[in-house]
């Protein structure tokens, strides 16, 4: 059935892919964004579609819309972006989610809340299962994001318990692909940009820290499936690729796939940088029948191809934190 679907943060990296899938499925898609970390070019190809609408709005302010489903993605996601204005980041997570849930309560809409693996902090449990409660430093430089997302999860569960809002919380692990902001300071975008420019690949710390990288198309499929079950399943559910790589391995892979002769260069490790991260996706397999299918090499090939096709001068430069 055709649904009226709001995607907050819809012009961002994940949001633009999600909007595209929903438009292709024939839904009436409302993309809301304040373009803090994104550009209109991410959704320009959708603008002439009759079932796509772009709304410039800051979700820390209330908005009155009539919708059946809401994907709440609005929030800067890369450390360099969310630390740019940490107070705004935590406000976006909390107030944005509050406004979305209020709208859902009024409209009887379903909600998918984009949470994050960062709610686990620097985890003592590996791989991370949803029942693990995390080790987050509440006063560190990542707290505006981590604690903002944790408070947003709390709000979702309380709205569900008190107002019977069908809301599902998904915890997204590192995701990459075309339309990542080339200057977001995240490891995949940094390494590809650096390799293509023949500059040194900057490894923070000794490169032994791990991450698990999920290709964007796989992730979007997981979001769609989670929304399907929001009535009966609140989550939280991990969405990510369980294949774990060290940052040093990632650097070598990017050098190999770009054919670059860039060296690697060591930089100091950022404060509170998680040492290991890998999702346990048993719950997603069971409840959503979902698992990623794109191997890292293949996803990186597609992402590198996209980076070769863009003009870097069309993107705003890095924030001062990086
Ligand atoms: P992104 O920065 O590309 O997208 C976020 C979008 O939200 C941007 O378009 C930005 O302009 C918009 N936005 C920010 N503040 C806003 C506000 N106050 N009002 C309206 N719009 C606002 O990041 P992304 O990678 O696409 O992340 C999307 C969501 O997924 C975020 O909520 C993020 O926390 C979550 N997530 C992403 C990852 C990942 O690896 N990409 C991992 C975990 C969680
Ligand atoms: N990192 C790195 N070089 C870079 C950017 C990031 O070594 O140019 C490291 C960073 O310290 C972290 C990992 O790569 O250990 C992933 O960082 P990212 O910012 O992509 O995401 P995070 O998972 O930390 O939110």
């Amino acid at each position: 059935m055709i649904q009226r679907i709001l995607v907050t943060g819809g012009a961002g990296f994940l949001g633009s892919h999600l909007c595209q899938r929903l438009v292709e499925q024939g839904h009436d898609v409302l993309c809301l964004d304040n373009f803090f970390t994104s550009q209109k070019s991410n959704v320009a190809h959708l603008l002439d579609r009759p079932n796509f609408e772009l709304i410039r709005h800051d979700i820390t302010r209330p908005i009155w819309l009539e919708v059946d489903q809401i994907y709440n993605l609005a929030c800067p996601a890369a450390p360099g972006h969310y630390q740019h204005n940490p107070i705004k980041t935590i406000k976006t997570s909390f107030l944005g989610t509050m406004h979305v849930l209020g709208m859902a309560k009024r409209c009887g809409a379903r909600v998918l809340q984009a949470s994050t693996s960062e709610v686990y902090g620097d985890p003592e449990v590996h791989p991370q299962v949803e029942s693990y409660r995390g080790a987050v430093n509440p006063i560190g430089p990542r707290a505006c994001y981590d604690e903002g997302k944790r408070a947003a999860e709390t709000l979702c569960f309380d709205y569900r318990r008190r107002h019977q809002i069908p809301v599902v919380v998904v915890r997204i692990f590192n995701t990459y692909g075309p339309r990542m902001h080339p200057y977001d300071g995240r490891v995949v975008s940094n390494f590809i940009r650096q390799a293509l420019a023949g500059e040194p690949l900057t490894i923070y710390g000794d490169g032994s820290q791990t991450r698990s990288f999920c290709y964007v198309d796989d992730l979007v499929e997981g979001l769609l499936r989670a929304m399907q079950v929001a009535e009966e399943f609140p989550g939280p559910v991990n969405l990510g690729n369980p294949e774990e790589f060290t940052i040093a391995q990632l650097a070598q892979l990017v050098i190999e796939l770009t054919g670059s002769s860039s060296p690697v260069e060591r930089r100091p490790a950022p404060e509170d940088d998680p040492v290991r991260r890998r999702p346990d996706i048993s719950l997603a397999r069971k409840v959503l029948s979902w698992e990623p299918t794109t191997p890292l090499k293949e996803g990186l090939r597609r992402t590198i191809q996209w980076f070769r096709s863009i003009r870097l001068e069309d993107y705003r430069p890095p924030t001062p934190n990086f």
Side-chain angles (χ1 to χ4, degrees), residues 123-164:
E124 303 113 327
V125 168
H126 192 81
Q128 289 80 58
V129 279
E130 290 85 351
S131 55
Y132 174 54
R133 292 180 187 175
V136 173
N137 174 1
I139 55 170
R142 298 175 84 105
C144 60
Y145 183 70
D146 303 5
E147 297 290 11
K149 290 286 188 180
R150 287 172 68 98
E153 287 198 9
T154 306
L155 210 49
C156 289
F157 274 76
D158 282 330
Y159 265 76
R160 188 172 179 113
R161 278 188 287 258
R162 180 154 284 228
H163 300 300
Q164 292 75 51

Side-chain angles (χ1 to χ4, degrees), residues 73-135:
L73 271 56
C75 187
H81 283 159
Y82 68 65
Q83 288 165 4
H84 178 72
N85 185 346
I87 298 169
K88 181 69 191 246
T89 297
I90 197 162
K91 279 187 184 174
T92 296
S93 260
F94 184 76
L95 294 174
T97 305
M98 188 178 91
H99 293 143
V100 157
L101 291 166
M103 188 189 301
K105 181 172 163 231
R106 177 174 54 78
C107 299
R110 282 186 192 184
V111 177
L112 177 139
Q113 170 64 15
S115 192
T116 169
S117 54
E118 295 279 337
V119 301
Y120 301 123
D122 190 5
E124 303 113 327
V125 168
H126 192 81
Q128 289 80 58
V129 279
E130 290 85 351
S131 55
Y132 174 54
R133 292 180 187 175

Side-chain angles (χ1 to χ4, degrees), residues 190-201 254-255 258 260-262:
N190 269 8
F191 283 0
I192 295 179
R193 192 171 41 74
Q194 291 161 341
L196 292 179
E199 293 167 4
L201 273 63
V254 170
I255 288 172
T258 50
S260 171
S261 49
S262 290

Side-chain angles (χ1 to χ4, degrees), residues 118 142 174 186-187 190 202 204 209 211 247 273 277:
E118 295 279 337
R142 298 175 84 105
N174 297 62
R186 284 190 258 202
V187 68
N190 269 8
T202 50
Y204 303 159
Q209 72 271 40
R211 294 293 186 272
I247 295 304
D273 196 20
R277 185 183 292 154

